Amino acid sequence: MTTSASVPAGPEGAITEGTVTDRLVEANGRYAAAFADPGMDAHPVLQVAVVACMDARLDLHAALGLELGDCHTIRNAGGVVTDDVIRSLTISQRALGTRSVVLIHHTGCGLETLTEEFRHELEMEVGQRPAWAVEAFRDVDQDVRQSMQRVRTSPFLVRTDDVRGFVFDVKTGLLREIDPA
């Protein structure tokens, strides 16, 4: 199932006119033609940073009732709090004034199907072991707790009192809050 009605498709769903990137650049041209500078800076209006999975099923702005400029959004595979997420949160807090952190994992995450063996397989294929961890998990609730703990204990973050974690249900669209204990 595709959700983009503007993708020209041929047999078996193949895109027939240019590449997907070409289509995105064309869409940007249409967007820019109607664009008006919103007159805002990089400081998020709601002073919140949202860390979430990169899964294409999560429309965070719609799910959370957010508008352009409301939050900083940091996404990666699994929504896991890694060193790079801490880097982004540190900049978000210290340079751009965010005070709250919302962590969102989701049901049916692809990281639940992987293991750290994935790194070994990559090493066998390309001849170099990745420097990064896969951060695979089996229990989404526990992974949210671990991510909350990583934020709360980071020495680089100045605002760790308002950190909350959730699991987004991809079937219902509802958030379920995770108790940090």
Side-chain angles (χ1 to χ4, degrees):
M1 176 181 115
T2 183
T3 58
S4 180
S6 63
V7 177
E12 299 175 24
I15 295 175
T16 58
E17 297 175 24
T19 67
V20 171
T21 303
D22 292 335
R23 184 180 64 81
L24 298 176
V25 171
E26 288 171 17
N28 175 255
R30 291 187 299 278
Y31 172 79
F35 185 79
D37 180 358
M40 58 180 69
D41 65 16
H43 293 76
V45 173
L46 299 179
Q47 298 180 318
V48 64
V50 177
V51 179
C53 185
M54 66 185 191
D55 192 297
R57 296 172 290 180
L58 277 65
D59 183 350
L60 292 175
H61 277 73
L64 301 174
L66 296 168
E67 299 292 330
L68 181 67
D70 281 349
C71 74
H72 284 159
T73 306
I74 304 160
R75 295 180 80 156
N76 67 18
V80 176
V81 175
T82 61
D83 286 346
D84 194 57
V85 168
I86 293 293
R87 171 189 160 271
S88 294
L89 287 172
T90 301
I91 293 166
S92 178
Q93 287 188 353
R94 290 180 177 261
L96 297 165
T98 58
R99 298 178 174 274
S100 302
V101 178
V102 174
L103 305 170
I104 301 177
H105 287 34
H106 65 92
T107 58
C109 185
L111 283 187
E112 291 177 292
T113 65
L114 294 176
T115 66
E116 292 299 319
E117 181 66 18
F118 182 74
R119 291 174 72 222
H120 177 71
E121 293 166 2
L122 284 173
E123 180 180 17
M124 294 296 100
E125 179 182 329
V126 302
Q128 181 178 343
R129 188 174 190 103
W132 39 264
V134 175
E135 296 277 356
F137 55 87
R138 294 286 174 255
D139 181 337
V140 68
D141 290 18
Q142 183 55 35
D143 202 61
V144 171
R145 285 186 198 94
Q146 176 177 290
S147 289
M148 285 190 282
Q149 186 65 15
R150 285 178 177 175
V151 171
R152 288 190 172 120
T153 60
S154 173
F156 305 109
L157 300 175
V158 292
R159 306 265 189 235
T160 59
D161 55 323
D162 188 11
V163 178
R164 293 173 64 186
F166 301 85
V167 174
F168 177 87
D169 188 313
V170 297
K171 302 282 188 211
T172 67
L174 289 173
L175 290 176
R176 177 173 51 83
E177 188 158 10
I178 302 301
D179 183 352

